[in-house]
Amino acid sequence: MAEENVQDLGALLQVRRDKLADLQSRGKDPFQITKYDVTHHSMEVKNNFEELEGKEVSLAGRIMSKRVMGKASFCNIQDLQGNIQSYVARDSIGEESYADFKKYDIGDIVGIKGEVFKTKTGEISIHAAEVTLLSKSLQILPEKFHGLTNTDIRYRQRYVDLIMNAEVKDTFIKRSKIISAIRKYLDGQGFMEVETPMLVANAGGAAARPFETHFNALDEDMKLRISLELYLKRLIVGGLERVYEIGRVFRNEGLDTRHNPEFTLMELYQAYTDYHGMMDLTENMYRTVAQEVLGTTQITYNGIEMDLGKPFERITMVDAVKKYAGVDWNEIKTLEEARAVAKEHHVEYEERHMKGDILNLFFEEFVEEHLIQPTFVMDHPIEISPLTKKKPENPEYVERFEFFMNGWEMANAYSELNDPIDQRERFKAQEAALAAGDEEANTTDEDFLNALEIGMAPTGGIGFGIDRMVMLLTDSAAIRDVLLFPTMRQQ
């Protein structure tokens, strides 16, 4: 049976090629056409019917359905904005053109010029005076009623997914609007957009394993960046007081519903402020972007309502662990006590983990899933924050927050460490962790230390995962649903 289906498909594909060959033999090769003047799109015509009724318009799009009825036919074409019907009559477009039109296939791209009118059933349509074949589809689109539902094919052939699933196109239009709204917001706050290297000798600024490559011209090993941080801070040193970058970063890690090895990160740095300033900026930005793109600050993700209009909760990591795990870290003074309480609560740790690492493991195990509404978790242990200022009154902790929604980490921010002597010691601790087997530890960046020795103003900085933000604002189940071309295993 499967073999018969393959043969049938092969025959259908051959018919399309034969139709193309016939057109070419008659001097009507659609691939010779270089342009078509489009005056309107489908929704423009529908939304402005009173103004356009009886007037001539030109639209172009893909034939998605077709009903041939003797001397007159209907077809439905899909363009960027949606679908519109066209009435195609032999007496209006001419006998030869009508004979050609009848042979056109679903998926062919056509230009239609004609008058705007309304059918007896009240459907706004185009009465075609000319139909021009602009591109011949040699493949067969998925059957419209069932659509394209195989997720693997949807991600591999996003171009077909965008044709068949209107909600997918809508998601990516919203993604573009979200990024535009972020830029507009930051530009309005006096930030300057910059670009920093993707190919680096030292991939620092985050805990992640980098991709490695070799640069033949210099005969040097290079890495793809895992973060934007260290170069943006160099710009703060250089006197650019407010900078941001939206760009791809690369982390050699697994694939799941929230992780892709290349993803879009936004980092921004602002001189003369701290992590409290970054909290205010984050709260205002999320609220502004949601209002601009969605028209509301109330969002629903997977049936759960989240309110960006209310003040975001702010809680320390120690208080959050006390609230959800019932363990008060203020009473835990030594590494031995931390290990004992971990064993008691069945929290697995590694030999290299210090007291602060174990606190973070408790947070991940018992707290994260509860952080559904917008929440800032503040004041992380120093062991997991190598680039952050210590809290003056409690140097075991740092001035850092992570922003959570829906149980996900959405952003990570610091009062940035600007003490070069302290920073060198932190890098040494990272090198030791690397030697002990932590593949995600940072290595010492001498040029960055030199920049800090030149002098960096007190600075607040933050990193946002753009893809997760888009997932939440578009109610998309997986990161692959908001990446046009997600990473896939090669076929």
Side-chain angles (χ1 to χ4, degrees):
M1 188 69 181
E3 194 176 321
E4 285 175 19
N5 287 341
V6 170
Q7 287 176 343
D8 290 346
L9 181 61
L12 290 169
L13 293 175
Q14 188 56 51
V15 167
R16 292 191 175 216
R17 278 166 170 73
D18 292 344
K19 287 180 180 178
L20 175 63
D22 175 60
L23 288 165
Q24 289 170 330
S25 71
R26 294 190 286 124
K28 295 184 175 184
D29 184 353
F31 299 125
Q32 295 292 318
I33 294 174
T34 57
K35 68 187 287 266
Y36 186 81
D37 291 326
V38 174
T39 64
H40 294 78
H41 282 83
S42 54
M43 291 311 294
E44 284 175 80
V45 172
K46 290 179 176 181
N47 292 339
N48 300 288
F49 173 70
E50 285 77 13
E51 187 186 317
L52 291 172
E53 185 178 12
K55 292 184 179 168
E56 186 178 83
V57 295
S58 294
L59 294 89
R62 191 179 298 275
I63 298 175
M64 299 304 288
S65 65
K66 192 170 150 227
R67 295 198 316 278
V68 175
M69 305 176 299
K71 296 177 185 178
S73 302
F74 286 95
C75 70
N76 198 288
I77 66 163
Q78 178 174 295
D79 61 15
L80 174 68
Q81 295 181 353
N83 289 270
I84 194 162
Q85 179 176 268
S86 179
Y87 173 69
V88 183
R90 185 187 68 185
D91 293 347
S92 299
I93 68 168
E95 202 157 323
E96 187 180 337
S97 292
Y98 189 66
D100 287 339
F101 170 79
K102 289 200 292 184
K103 293 178 183 173
Y104 294 166
D105 291 303
I106 304 300
D108 286 354
I109 296 174
V110 295
I112 293 178
K113 183 186 281 188
E115 286 186 4
V116 177
F117 80 111
K118 200 178 270 188
T119 64
K120 289 174 185 172
T121 58
E123 186 166 352
I124 295 168
S125 307
I126 311 299
H127 188 145
E130 288 176 20
V131 179
T132 307
L133 182 64
L134 302 174
S135 182
K136 182 73 190 158
S137 175
L138 301 178
Q139 276 286 357
I140 294 171
L141 292 176
E143 197 264 302
K144 181 68 179 169
F145 180 74
H146 295 104
L148 182 63
T149 54
N150 180 309
T151 51
D152 190 69
I153 294 175
R154 282 184 52 222
Y155 298 143
R156 289 186 192 280
Q157 297 183 16
R158 183 66 85 189
Y159 41 92
V160 181
D161 191 24
L162 289 164
I163 293 166
M164 301 308 298
N165 296 315
E167 68 280 4
V168 171
K169 187 188 287 183
D170 183 57
T171 293
F172 288 105
I173 290 170
K174 277 189 181 145
R175 180 189 173 105
S176 178
K177 288 179 177 175
I178 288 165
I179 293 172
S180 291
I182 291 169
R183 284 194 165 102
K184 181 178 167 187
Y185 175 78
L186 291 176
D187 293 348
Q189 297 293 315
F191 282 83
M192 171 180 168
E193 185 173 10
V194 297
E195 293 173 308
T196 62
M198 290 192 185
L199 208 55
V200 294
N202 188 333
R209 185 195 300 175
F211 286 93
E212 297 180 4
T213 187
H214 187 77
F215 183 24
N216 292 337
L218 296 180
D219 192 26
E220 286 184 352
D221 290 332
M222 305 286 280
K223 298 178 177 72
L224 290 174
R225 67 184 181 187
I226 58 172
S227 162
L228 313 173
E229 179 164 348
L230 301 185
Y231 280 98
L232 291 176
K233 284 183 179 175
R234 287 168 167 91
L235 299 180
I236 295 290
V237 171
L240 303 180
E241 293 181 4
R242 298 186 183 205
V243 293
Y244 75 96
E245 181 173 7
I246 299 174
R248 284 288 172 126
V249 297
F250 308 86
R251 297 184 182 179
N252 201 345
E253 56 190 19
L255 293 161
D256 63 29
T257 55
R258 280 185 281 157
H259 293 89
N260 194 72
E262 57 172 315
F263 62 97
T264 303
L265 185 64
M266 180 183 77
E267 290 196 32
L268 62 88
Y269 293 86
Q270 179 180 339
Y272 312 115
T273 191
D274 63 2
Y275 73 141
H276 292 289
M278 292 295 101
M279 282 186 232
D280 295 340
L281 183 146
T282 301
E283 190 164 336
N284 290 332
M285 190 188 81
Y286 258 78
R287 202 168 283 148
T288 302
V289 170
Q291 186 66 51
E292 185 157 321
V293 177
L294 306 178
T296 178
T297 56
Q298 308 269 335
I299 67 167
T300 302
Y301 183 83
N302 197 23
I304 298 166
E305 288 187 7
M306 287 166 252
D307 190 351
L308 294 165
K310 291 179 182 172
F312 295 4
E313 186 184 355
R314 303 184 182 197
I315 188 170
T316 66
M317 184 179 278
V318 168
D319 286 346
V321 168
K322 185 177 178 181
K323 179 177 178 180
Y324 293 106
V327 176
D328 187 351
W329 221 257
N330 289 321
E331 295 175 1
I332 293 168
K333 305 300 181 189
T334 65
L335 176 58
E336 289 68 34
E337 288 174 17
R339 286 174 170 174
V341 78
K343 284 175 182 168
E344 190 184 319
H345 286 78
H346 309 291
V347 173
E348 293 184 17
Y349 60 87
E350 295 175 31
E351 200 60 35
R352 63 185 172 82
H353 283 146
M354 307 304 286
K355 183 179 139 189
D357 295 301
I358 296 172
L359 168 61
N360 188 53
L361 292 171
F362 266 80
F363 174 77
E364 290 173 353
E365 182 73 28
F366 295 107
V367 181
E368 284 189 6
E369 63 183 324
H370 298 288
L371 306 177
I372 303 302
Q373 295 301 319
T375 305
F376 294 116
V377 176
M378 308 178 291
D379 303 350
H380 294 52
I382 193 168
E383 291 91 338
I384 62 166
S385 312
L387 298 162
T388 318
K389 273 194 173 183
K390 296 172 187 172
K391 290 182 72 65
E393 71 280 10
N394 190 354
E396 284 187 17
Y397 296 91
V398 297
E399 294 194 349
R400 172 183 174 186
F401 74 79
E402 289 175 295
F403 173 49
F404 282 85
M405 282 181 71
N406 192 51
W408 302 348
E409 181 205 332
M410 304 298 293
N412 186 20
Y414 312 150
S415 297
E416 302 297 335
L417 180 60
N418 62 343
D419 176 346
I421 298 162
D422 188 356
Q423 183 65 78
R424 185 174 289 280
E425 291 305 310
R426 306 272 193 103
F427 274 142
K428 277 184 189 170
Q430 286 285 297
E431 296 273 11
L434 190 66
D438 182 357
E439 293 181 333
E440 296 186 341
N442 285 198
T443 54
T444 304
D445 186 328
E446 289 294 345
D447 182 70
F448 176 64
L449 288 170
N450 185 62
L452 289 187
E453 288 180 1
I454 296 289
M456 185 172 91
T459 296
I462 189 163
F464 290 90
I466 295 290
D467 306 303
R468 288 186 190 177
M469 184 181 188
V470 175
M471 284 173 70
L472 275 186
L473 295 182
T474 60
D475 198 7
S476 298
I479 193 170
R480 290 179 173 190
D481 295 324
V482 299
L483 298 175
L484 279 166
F485 300 102
T487 303
M488 306 284 288
R489 186 187 296 279
Q490 290 185 26
Q491 287 180 307

